[in-house]
Structures are given as structure tokens and as C-alpha cells.
Amino acid sequence: MLTQEKVLEILNPIQDPFLHRTLEETGGVEEVKIKEEKNHVSVKILIGKTNTAEQMELQQTIVNALKSGGAATVGLRFDQLSDDVVQKFQPAQESEDASLLSGNTKTKFISIASGKGGVGKSTVTVNLAVALTRLGKKVGIIDADIYGFSVPDMMGVEERPVVRGEKIIPVERFGVKVVSMGFFVEDNSPIIWRGPMLGKMLTSFFKEVEWGDLDYLLLDLPPGTGDVALDVHSMLPSSKEIIVTTPHPTAAFVAARAGQMAIKTEHEILGVVENMAYFESKETGNKEFIFGRGGGVKLADTLQTAVLGHVPLQQPYEEEEVFAPSVYQADHPIGVIYRNMAAKVIDKY
Ligand SMILES: Nc1ncnc2c1ncn2[C@@H]1O[C@H](COP(=O)(O)OP(=O)(O)O)[C@@H](O)[C@H]1O
Ligand SMILES: [Mg+2]
């Protein structure tokens, strides 16, 4: 037989689906009545928002919990918490998220750009994000390379984001929150974007995603200096940029255009990452500059900035338990290089 206390014990830890607080914290259990002869429990629950899919789910949770606790039948009514209480517990993100694009957020945007594809822009984005997280920062990634999205695959993300209320909850991997176009595409099929849709999609990545309070939000930009890249650049009010290049002088020349575009849209350049800088033989320790040499420094000079790091060619260690094809481990030589880069970024921004 359930007692009043036992019922409270069962209900109190359950979360209000909108306020993300326990019913105990919100004072959501308004009434508990027990009809002993029939072993019937009826409760009245106050929540942040009524008549929603979440309420249905909560209803199931509560009924099941009370029945497993010993109730034969359960009566359940919902009502809305008073506005005061809702205000008090309303997740602060609401207003914060809306202002992610307005410029008064404390989240710092870092856009990762390149002159062309295939130079490691996404690899740099992912590993810099993970390295910043390892240094204790709260980090998110928007995979804004809307045609060439690859971040989920690189990080080995298999789940899809869930939608709660009107918000998309980003997927978390290695402590980094990720949102990608790839999450919203079936079977890797190609997408055709028309101008206004693209803007809407990107805006919703900022506004409709529950990012929580982030220190850094990294954007994997589309490569090159085309319309899409330009749109993304202009949409962000205050982003700093990292330009990725290979060491080949021609690559650096092309990357300089991406840098110029950043400057035109008033985005300060944080630095240059020279990726695929060299190959180091495990046997001899000899460095071979397979893709040429000097591109990173040349680009940094052109853009009057610094080289944040030279990343050699090497794969992450293979691990059986953790699948993340492009994430370098903290103790991997390249993991260490990313750690140093992350420290420089924190220092500068
Ligand atoms: N330092 C590196 N060593 C070895 N492979 C790398 C390195 N950087 C990138 N790659 C690989 O090169 C390919 C292109 O990198 P990617 O990050 O997808 O480039 P982008 O985003 O610029 O198109 C990927 O297959 C990636 O795994
Ligand atoms: Mg990419």
C-alpha cells in the first residue's frame, strides 16, 4: 500500500520536461490523494507547459512509476505552474540563444575557413574543439559546410539530435556539442539549397539549438570564397577566423583569398593552421615535406597573422572501444600539437 510519503518519494525526483528541474524543486506535486480501499492514487501535477507531447510522456512516466510503486490505479491531472515559478526556472538559454547572433553573448565564435576543400578544415575544426574541451572549455561545433558536412562521421557520432519542445538538442561527443546538416539528411543524399533556405537553416542552427552556455562555438565553413561561404561570413556578427592551408605555396595563395574575405566581413584572423605540413618517418625521424614547404608562414605573412601550428601527416591511433576516425588522442603527437594550438587560441581570444 502506498503512503503519502512514498508517493512523494516517487514523484519528487521526476523532472519537469520544460524547466529541467525536479518536481521537488518546482513544487510541481500539488496534490496527492490515496483511496486505500481501492489502492487508487490520484495526483495533480503542475508543469511548465501543458498539453504537449512532453506532457504525454511525463504522464506515462508518472503512471508507470506509481504502479511499480504499488498503486493499482492512478488518476492524474496536469495544470500549469504559475508564471512566477516558470520565470524563475525558465532555462536561461532561451534569451541567450536568441542573442547568439545578436552579439551580446559571451560565447566566442571561431570560424574555420580554407581556400579550397580537402586541406583538413574539418579535421582541424574537430580536433581544435576536442582540444579546447580537454582544456576545460565548453565547446560546440556547427558543421556549416552544408554541402560537404563531415563532422559527425569524423567524430564517430552515430546518434541523431533529439527535439525537445521547440529546440534541437545537439549531440555530444567527447564533451563537444555538435550540430550538422548531416543530421537532417537521409542516406547521405545530396541537398540542393536555394538561397533563402540556406540562410534559414544556418539561422536555426544558432537560434533553435539549445547550446547551453558555451565558451567557444566553432564553425566549419564551406571551403572557398563562393556565395555560400560569403553568406556564412556575413551572417556572423563577431567571429574570429582560423585559416587552414597545406604547405604548398599555391594552396597558401588560394587560402589568402579566404583570408581576404574574412577581413572584408570584419572578422579578425586568429591565425593560420598549416595542415599536412610534413611526414615524419617512424624509423628515422626524418621529415619529408611531401606537399611542399612554407605555405603556412607565407599565408600568415600575407594576412599579417601568426601560424598557430604545423600539423604533420598521420592518422589517429586505432582504438577498439572508441570509434572516431579523425580525432587524435590526447597523448598522440598530433593530439599534443592541437593542445598547444588550443592553448594559443585561449590566450588570444
Ligand atoms: N594531418 C593529417 N594527416 C593525415 N590525414 C589528414 C590530415 N588532415 C586531414 N587528413 C585527411 O584528409 C582528408 C581531408 O580532410 P578534411 O578535414 O575532410 O578536409 P576539408 O574539410 O578541408 O575538406 C580527410 O580524409 C582527412 O582524414
Ligand atoms: Mg570538410
Side-chain angles (χ1 to χ4, degrees):
M1 167 60 61
L2 278 169
T3 59
Q4 188 95 12
E5 287 85 67
K6 186 76 187 113
V7 169
L8 284 176
E9 211 172 281
I10 292 171
L11 296 180
N12 272 337
I14 293 176
Q15 287 236 344
D16 184 305
F18 285 94
L19 303 177
H20 308 299
R21 300 298 182 105
T22 63
L23 295 178
E24 180 166 27
E25 285 173 282
T26 61
V29 185
E30 183 166 76
E31 192 181 276
V32 177
K33 283 187 184 154
I34 300 172
K35 284 207 185 101
E36 290 192 10
E37 62 282 14
K38 288 187 180 153
N39 193 14
H40 175 81
V41 179
S42 79
V43 293
K44 185 175 175 191
I45 303 293
L46 306 182
I47 52 178
K49 194 170 172 191
T50 52
N51 300 323
T52 62
E54 283 83 357
Q55 177 184 320
M56 305 275 281
E57 246 173 71
L58 181 65
Q59 179 169 338
Q60 275 304 311
T61 310
I62 291 179
V63 170
N64 292 342
L66 290 173
K67 284 191 173 169
S68 343
T73 50
V74 176
L76 181 53
R77 277 179 304 148
F78 284 104
D79 206 345
Q80 193 119 359
L81 284 162
S82 73
D83 288 348
D84 288 356
V85 179
V86 174
Q87 286 260 293
K88 186 169 149 207
F89 292 113
Q90 189 76 263
Q93 289 98 329
E94 281 292 322
S95 51
E96 241 171 56
D97 280 355
S99 67
L100 257 190
L101 282 178
S102 77
N104 350 328
T105 167
K106 74 170 185 66
T107 303
K108 295 168 181 165
F109 296 114
I110 301 177
S111 307
I112 324 291
S114 68
K116 56 185 185 124
V119 300
K121 181 171 51 61
S122 303
T123 310
V124 169
T125 307
V126 163
N127 283 285
L128 187 60
V130 171
L132 286 164
T133 308
R134 286 179 184 148
L135 293 177
K137 297 296 176 188
K138 291 193 223 91
V139 184
I141 296 179
I142 292 182
D143 184 1
D145 189 350
I146 39 119
Y147 292 105
F149 48 82
S150 62
V151 170
D153 286 323
M154 290 187 149
M155 297 183 91
V157 173
E158 272 158 9
E159 37 320 18
R160 291 290 169 264
V162 288
V163 177
R164 196 193 289 149
E166 277 152 17
K167 292 272 184 173
I168 300 166
I169 313 296
V171 175
E172 208 169 312
R173 182 89 167 130
F174 306 111
V176 178
K177 293 180 176 171
V178 183
V179 165
S180 168
M181 206 42 242
F183 291 152
F184 307 100
V185 175
E186 292 291 327
D187 308 327
N188 202 20
S189 51
I191 329 166
I192 298 161
W193 290 99
R194 314 208 185 274
M197 254 171 81
L198 168 67
K200 201 163 173 286
M201 193 68 220
L202 282 173
T203 314
S204 64
F205 278 176
F206 289 99
K207 291 194 175 163
E208 282 152 37
V209 174
E210 199 168 303
W211 289 108
D213 58 337
L214 293 179
D215 297 311
Y216 294 100
L217 185 57
L218 273 58
L219 287 109
D220 186 359
L221 293 187
T225 48
D227 289 352
V228 176
L230 183 62
D231 283 351
V232 181
H233 275 78
S234 346
M235 206 174 294
L236 303 174
S238 61
S239 175
K240 297 198 181 184
E241 300 215 4
I242 290 175
I243 316 284
V244 182
T245 183
T246 61
H248 198 275
T250 312
F253 180 72
V254 177
R257 283 206 289 272
Q260 300 301 352
M261 184 155 100
I263 293 166
K264 261 195 203 128
T265 46
E266 295 182 354
H267 293 174
E268 186 187 316
I269 296 172
L270 265 179
V272 167
V273 175
E274 188 185 71
N275 189 34
M276 311 185 182
Y278 53 87
F279 174 77
E280 189 174 327
S281 161
K282 274 203 191 87
E283 279 80 43
T284 62
N286 196 31
K287 286 181 184 173
E288 290 182 41
F289 296 86
I290 295 170
F291 291 129
R293 212 170 165 174
V297 172
K298 182 167 175 250
L299 177 63
D301 284 349
T302 311
L303 300 175
Q304 299 183 342
T305 182
V307 177
L308 293 170
H310 301 268
V311 185
L313 281 154
Q314 202 180 330
Q315 294 302 316
Y317 298 133
E318 272 183 43
E319 284 180 284
E320 267 173 28
E321 323 81 73
V322 197
F323 179 70
S326 296
V327 178
Y328 295 95
Q329 294 79 3
D331 60 351
H332 187 289
I334 295 187
V336 175
I337 291 175
Y338 276 106
R339 186 195 169 86
N340 292 336
M341 276 198 256
K344 279 187 199 166
V345 167
I346 293 171
D347 224 33
K348 288 185 161 202
Y349 188 23

